[in-house]
mmCIF file of all heavy atoms in Angstrom:
data_model
loop_
_atom_site.group_PDB
_atom_site.id
_atom_site.type_symbol
_atom_site.label_atom_id
_atom_site.label_comp_id
_atom_site.label_asym_id
_atom_site.label_seq_id
_atom_site.Cartn_x
_atom_site.Cartn_y
_atom_site.Cartn_z
ATOM 1 N N THR A 70 1.897 3.712 22.035
ATOM 2 C CA THR A 70 2.494 2.780 23.126
ATOM 3 C C THR A 70 3.542 1.904 22.538
ATOM 4 O O THR A 70 3.576 1.629 21.328
ATOM 5 C CB THR A 70 1.376 1.926 23.797
ATOM 6 O OG1 THR A 70 0.825 1.052 22.752
ATOM 7 C CG2 THR A 70 0.303 2.721 24.322
ATOM 8 N N ARG A 71 4.415 1.432 23.341
ATOM 9 C CA ARG A 71 5.434 0.496 22.933
ATOM 10 C C ARG A 71 4.894 -0.769 22.459
ATOM 11 O O ARG A 71 5.353 -1.423 21.442
ATOM 12 C CB ARG A 71 6.449 0.262 24.076
ATOM 13 C CG ARG A 71 7.354 1.445 24.465
ATOM 14 C CD ARG A 71 8.253 0.983 25.642
ATOM 15 N NE ARG A 71 9.213 0.010 25.214
ATOM 16 C CZ ARG A 71 10.417 0.280 24.659
ATOM 17 N NH1 ARG A 71 10.823 1.532 24.432
ATOM 18 N NH2 ARG A 71 11.250 -0.735 24.220
ATOM 19 N N GLU A 72 3.785 -1.124 23.104
ATOM 20 C CA GLU A 72 3.089 -2.438 22.688
ATOM 21 C C GLU A 72 2.584 -2.304 21.225
ATOM 22 O O GLU A 72 2.670 -3.248 20.436
ATOM 23 C CB GLU A 72 1.891 -2.741 23.612
ATOM 24 C CG GLU A 72 2.310 -3.166 24.996
ATOM 25 C CD GLU A 72 2.814 -2.017 25.890
ATOM 26 O OE1 GLU A 72 2.624 -0.871 25.467
ATOM 27 O OE2 GLU A 72 3.432 -2.292 26.945
ATOM 28 N N GLN A 73 1.994 -1.060 20.849
ATOM 29 C CA GLN A 73 1.559 -0.928 19.530
ATOM 30 C C GLN A 73 2.669 -1.009 18.511
ATOM 31 O O GLN A 73 2.518 -1.652 17.446
ATOM 32 C CB GLN A 73 0.886 0.438 19.389
ATOM 33 C CG GLN A 73 -0.486 0.605 20.069
ATOM 34 C CD GLN A 73 -0.981 2.058 19.967
ATOM 35 O OE1 GLN A 73 -0.537 2.893 20.731
ATOM 36 N NE2 GLN A 73 -1.930 2.268 19.040
ATOM 37 N N LEU A 74 3.780 -0.362 18.839
ATOM 38 C CA LEU A 74 4.893 -0.332 17.879
ATOM 39 C C LEU A 74 5.510 -1.708 17.744
ATOM 40 O O LEU A 74 5.830 -2.182 16.602
ATOM 41 C CB LEU A 74 5.950 0.678 18.412
ATOM 42 C CG LEU A 74 5.515 2.140 18.337
ATOM 43 C CD1 LEU A 74 6.473 3.033 19.127
ATOM 44 C CD2 LEU A 74 5.447 2.653 16.915
ATOM 45 N N VAL A 75 5.712 -2.394 18.871
ATOM 46 C CA VAL A 75 6.340 -3.788 18.731
ATOM 47 C C VAL A 75 5.423 -4.720 18.021
ATOM 48 O O VAL A 75 5.876 -5.502 17.174
ATOM 49 C CB VAL A 75 6.619 -4.316 20.183
ATOM 50 C CG1 VAL A 75 6.958 -5.808 20.155
ATOM 51 C CG2 VAL A 75 7.709 -3.448 20.828
ATOM 52 N N LYS A 76 4.090 -4.597 18.255
ATOM 53 C CA LYS A 76 3.155 -5.530 17.513
ATOM 54 C C LYS A 76 3.108 -5.229 16.089
ATOM 55 O O LYS A 76 3.102 -6.113 15.214
ATOM 56 C CB LYS A 76 1.734 -5.331 18.123
ATOM 57 C CG LYS A 76 0.690 -6.230 17.549
ATOM 58 C CD LYS A 76 -0.634 -6.040 18.169
ATOM 59 C CE LYS A 76 -1.720 -6.900 17.485
ATOM 60 N NZ LYS A 76 -3.075 -6.750 18.062
ATOM 61 N N GLU A 77 3.065 -3.907 15.700
ATOM 62 C CA GLU A 77 2.913 -3.524 14.290
ATOM 63 C C GLU A 77 4.210 -3.675 13.456
ATOM 64 O O GLU A 77 4.151 -4.136 12.343
ATOM 65 C CB GLU A 77 2.507 -2.046 14.228
ATOM 66 C CG GLU A 77 2.143 -1.557 12.819
ATOM 67 C CD GLU A 77 0.950 -2.175 12.235
ATOM 68 O OE1 GLU A 77 0.076 -2.546 13.064
ATOM 69 O OE2 GLU A 77 0.772 -2.174 11.065
ATOM 70 N N VAL A 78 5.338 -3.349 14.093
ATOM 71 C CA VAL A 78 6.618 -3.429 13.312
ATOM 72 C C VAL A 78 7.347 -4.726 13.487
ATOM 73 O O VAL A 78 7.873 -5.283 12.497
ATOM 74 C CB VAL A 78 7.552 -2.239 13.853
ATOM 75 C CG1 VAL A 78 8.857 -2.347 13.074
ATOM 76 C CG2 VAL A 78 6.822 -0.955 13.648
ATOM 77 N N TRP A 79 7.304 -5.374 14.676
ATOM 78 C CA TRP A 79 8.049 -6.660 14.867
ATOM 79 C C TRP A 79 7.091 -7.780 15.053
ATOM 80 O O TRP A 79 7.550 -8.966 15.193
ATOM 81 C CB TRP A 79 8.867 -6.508 16.163
ATOM 82 C CG TRP A 79 10.178 -5.759 15.938
ATOM 83 C CD1 TRP A 79 11.404 -6.314 15.566
ATOM 84 C CD2 TRP A 79 10.362 -4.376 16.120
ATOM 85 N NE1 TRP A 79 12.332 -5.297 15.441
ATOM 86 C CE2 TRP A 79 11.780 -4.118 15.822
ATOM 87 C CE3 TRP A 79 9.568 -3.301 16.525
ATOM 88 C CZ2 TRP A 79 12.274 -2.852 15.907
ATOM 89 C CZ3 TRP A 79 10.113 -2.031 16.606
ATOM 90 C CH2 TRP A 79 11.445 -1.815 16.288
ATOM 91 N N ASP A 80 5.761 -7.613 14.909
ATOM 92 C CA ASP A 80 4.789 -8.712 15.091
ATOM 93 C C ASP A 80 5.081 -9.512 16.381
ATOM 94 O O ASP A 80 5.031 -10.667 16.389
ATOM 95 C CB ASP A 80 4.891 -9.619 13.855
ATOM 96 C CG ASP A 80 3.700 -10.550 13.753
ATOM 97 O OD1 ASP A 80 2.711 -10.198 14.331
ATOM 98 O OD2 ASP A 80 3.809 -11.633 13.126
ATOM 99 N N ASN A 81 5.322 -8.704 17.481
ATOM 100 C CA ASN A 81 5.540 -9.238 18.732
ATOM 101 C C ASN A 81 6.733 -10.220 18.828
ATOM 102 O O ASN A 81 6.789 -11.157 19.664
ATOM 103 C CB ASN A 81 4.265 -9.984 19.290
ATOM 104 C CG ASN A 81 3.133 -9.004 19.668
ATOM 105 O OD1 ASN A 81 3.406 -7.898 20.144
ATOM 106 N ND2 ASN A 81 1.899 -9.366 19.342
ATOM 107 N N TYR A 82 7.671 -10.001 18.017
ATOM 108 C CA TYR A 82 8.946 -10.749 18.043
ATOM 109 C C TYR A 82 9.631 -10.531 19.313
ATOM 110 O O TYR A 82 9.660 -9.439 19.890
ATOM 111 C CB TYR A 82 9.828 -10.347 16.835
ATOM 112 C CG TYR A 82 11.161 -11.024 16.809
ATOM 113 C CD1 TYR A 82 11.344 -12.375 16.636
ATOM 114 C CD2 TYR A 82 12.326 -10.249 17.028
ATOM 115 C CE1 TYR A 82 12.583 -13.017 16.650
ATOM 116 C CE2 TYR A 82 13.592 -10.833 17.078
ATOM 117 C CZ TYR A 82 13.651 -12.199 16.874
ATOM 118 O OH TYR A 82 14.990 -12.756 16.876
#
Side-chain angles (χ1 to χ4, degrees):
T70 65
R71 291 182 64 90
E72 289 76 12
Q73 288 177 281
L74 292 167
V75 171
K76 180 179 179 180
E77 185 68 25
V78 179
W79 281 271
D80 194 21
N81 288 325
Y82 173 69

